Amino acid sequence: MIETSFKFNFASSEVIDSYAKRINDEYESGEIGYYHLPVLGQNLLGEIEEYEKGLVHIKNVVLVGIGGSSLGVKALKSMLEGTKGIKRELLFLDNVDPCSYKSTLNGLKFDETLFIISSKSGNTIETITIFKCLLDDFKPQNLGKNFLIITDPGTNLENFAKENGIKFFNIPKNVGGRFSVLSAIGLVPLGICGYDIKALLEGALACKKQYIEQKDSSIIAKAYHYATSRSASINVIFSYCDRFFEFNDWYVQLWAESLGKKRGYKRVGLTPVGLVGSRDQHSFLQLIMDGVKDKSVTFIKIKDHASDKTIPSFSLKGLEECDFVASLSLNELINLQCDATAMALVQEGISVDTITLERLDEFHAGWLIFYYELLTSATGIMLGINTYDQPGVEIGKRILKTMLLK
């Protein structure tokens, strides 16, 4: 069960309904593929299960990818920390940092490791560079035994897989990288490692039904508030659970790369910030409370953290002023801290909303992922931009290539 609450005023229903129609038109056009992944992903379940049966020798899975090919998967792995029945350790090589490369591989036995080379375009410079380093270090004779490829249909990387007997999975061409975690990008590594990817898709589908099929307009109203309010140009996620740390990183990429655009001669965009409570109450909260009123805050909390500890009732000499939380559980305390912080911000006139998850499992994680993808699309429509390209990112790549080819 998921609950949402809002502490700011919505625009009129006439305004919201007009934008809801545009979202529905985009969905029904079929041009933007991520909308359909909660259903299309079901078609992959059998293939992933069958492939996994041949991995009896594999103890570790290393996902080689960057940006949209890794951040969503890392977010889900982190959110699902402590899940029972996990078969394999999932590791990541998502940067060309030489120290990270060395430390990630340290202690791994090549014969017991599956490397997933994940690149939508098939020519991501960092991903292919790490792939080449792995081939150079391990010099495998049979690439199909320890490598798997995930890419768009028809890429040079897919052709390489075919020529070298490497199993590959495809990403739908109309699914952008940062919106792709519910495609093979996320389902394959998570499924191989033993996470319940069927429940993940079911959670995403429940979100889709709520906001698209059942036409819950609150997400459209939230997007409209973000896009039009002068006091909401910086969007903060305040997640009250350490397991959301990587989710915050995924949200920052999704929001920033999708919404920071040029619209004609005008530059538009909403700046994302990811915080973790209660830790960041002791840092960034001061800026939100007393700084410029240009921030909205979404609190995310979990009713049942699935692990708990009661705070002892005894006192420590000289530290009795901390006893007012005695006998609460840590679960209760962190959620009360979330509520108290939200109330403080509302009193300061800051736009606040709260997402409350019953628990943090595959179903709820899938719901949350799809919710933020849909919110991003809705906000992009409000801003009048192309949410799905990233021209600013491409310029740096071209400059790098020019520098090295001189």
Side-chain angles (χ1 to χ4, degrees), residues 260-314:
K261 301 290 169 64
K262 292 177 181 177
R263 189 179 65 203
Y265 293 104
K266 185 177 181 181
R267 294 172 182 263
V268 300
L270 303 171
T271 302
V273 175
L275 305 178
V276 173
S278 63
R279 182 193 66 198
D280 288 326
Q281 289 179 193
H282 301 272
S283 59
F284 203 93
L285 179 60
Q286 173 61 36
L287 179 63
I288 302 174
M289 285 290 291
D290 292 345
V292 178
K293 295 291 180 64
D294 56 359
K295 304 165 193 71
S296 64
V297 183
T298 297
F299 289 89
I300 304 178
K301 66 177 186 176
I302 307 165
K303 282 187 178 180
D304 180 4
H305 284 254
S307 178
D308 213 356
K309 167 70 178 176
T310 300
I311 301 169
S313 58
F314 59 79

Side-chain angles (χ1 to χ4, degrees), residues 37 58 61 70 88 180 215 249 262 304 311 363 371:
L37 290 178
I58 295 298
V61 175
S70 66
R88 299 174 177 92
S180 67
K215 302 187 185 305
D249 283 349
K262 292 177 181 177
D304 180 4
I311 301 169
F363 179 91
Y371 178 90

Side-chain angles (χ1 to χ4, degrees), residues 91-118:
L91 305 168
F92 298 86
L93 282 172
D94 61 351
N95 200 359
V96 288
D97 182 325
C99 293
S100 296
Y101 176 83
K102 182 178 180 180
S103 63
T104 301
L105 297 180
N106 187 38
L108 291 183
K109 295 181 179 179
F110 179 76
D111 289 343
E112 297 177 350
T113 304
L114 176 70
F115 294 92
I116 301 179
I117 311 302
S118 183

Side-chain angles (χ1 to χ4, degrees), residues 6 69 81 84 105 109 146 158 169 175 223 233 255 272-273 275 279 301 342 360 368:
F6 305 89
S69 294
E81 181 182 337
K84 295 179 180 178
L105 297 180
K109 295 181 179 179
N146 294 90
E158 181 190 80
F169 287 85
V175 175
S233 62
W255 201 251
V273 175
L275 305 178
R279 182 193 66 198
K301 66 177 186 176
L360 194 48
L368 192 62

Side-chain angles (χ1 to χ4, degrees), residues 209-249:
K209 287 180 177 178
Q210 177 179 348
Y211 291 106
I212 294 180
E213 297 176 18
Q214 298 170 3
K215 302 187 185 305
D216 181 338
S217 63
S218 62
I219 198 168
I220 309 296
K222 181 176 174 177
Y224 184 82
H225 179 74
Y226 286 167
T228 61
S229 174
R230 293 182 179 179
S231 61
S233 62
I234 297 175
N235 298 96
V236 179
I237 283 185
F238 217 146
S239 306
Y240 273 70
C241 175
D242 287 341
R243 287 178 286 162
F244 282 124
F245 185 84
E246 302 285 2
F247 172 82
N248 288 356
D249 283 349

Side-chain angles (χ1 to χ4, degrees), residues 240-242 277-278 281 302 305 329-339:
Y240 273 70
C241 175
D242 287 341
S278 63
Q281 289 179 193
I302 307 165
H305 284 254
S329 69
L330 294 180
N331 194 135
E332 291 171 323
L333 177 58
I334 197 169
N335 283 336
L336 286 169
Q337 287 179 303
C338 177
D339 295 342

Side-chain angles (χ1 to χ4, degrees), residues 3-10 211 216-223 226 298 346 351-355 371 375:
E3 300 172 4
T4 56
S5 62
F6 305 89
K7 299 297 183 182
F8 53 83
N9 295 325
F10 285 175
Y211 291 106
D216 181 338
S217 63
S218 62
I219 198 168
I220 309 296
K222 181 176 174 177
Y226 286 167
T298 297
V346 170
S351 299
V352 166
D353 68 289
T354 302
I355 299 171
Y371 178 90
L375 179 64

